[in-house]
Amino acid sequence: MKKIALALVFASGLFANSPSALKDLTREHTDVFPTHEAQYATIIKEKILIKDLLSIRINLAFELDKFRQLIFNGFLIRAEKDF
């Protein structure tokens, strides 16, 4: 049983690098390339959008922190005046 399986694996390995198999593989890759090109462009656009969204979130967090500090400082100033 093992000898038969090894013979089949060996036989399939002999024809894997034949010129017709390589020609078929090349044709399949040229047929599939436009699909991958569109997917690649979509991935790049998504990464640019994510980068913009993350930078907006970081700026918003920075502005909210700055606003919180201004409110706290205003509270301290009012408390010192009242004291």
Side-chain angles (χ1 to χ4, degrees), residues 41-59:
T42 304
I43 289 170
I44 289 174
K45 289 178 186 176
E46 287 176 356
K47 287 189 177 208
I48 290 171
L49 285 174
I50 289 171
K51 177 190 65 126
D52 292 340
L53 288 174
L54 286 175
S55 65
I56 288 170
R57 287 180 67 185
I58 288 170
N59 287 337

Side-chain angles (χ1 to χ4, degrees), residues 57-82:
R57 287 180 67 185
I58 288 170
N59 287 337
L60 179 64
F62 176 74
E63 293 294 327
L64 287 176
D65 187 55
K66 190 167 68 170
F67 186 64
R68 182 185 59 81
Q69 287 178 353
L70 287 173
I71 290 174
F72 182 71
N73 289 341
F75 171 75
L76 286 179
I77 291 171
R78 277 185 267 126
E80 287 176 359
K81 283 183 183 178
D82 291 343

Side-chain angles (χ1 to χ4, degrees), residues 7-49:
L8 289 174
V9 168
F10 181 72
S12 65
L14 288 177
F15 300 107
N17 293 326
S18 67
S20 62
L22 292 174
K23 191 183 297 181
D24 290 341
L25 187 62
T26 304
R27 185 174 37 82
E28 289 173 4
H29 279 286
T30 56
D31 293 343
V32 173
F33 180 71
T35 303
H36 290 301
E37 187 178 21
Q39 289 174 348
Y40 183 67
T42 304
I43 289 170
I44 289 174
K45 289 178 186 176
E46 287 176 356
K47 287 189 177 208
I48 290 171
L49 285 174

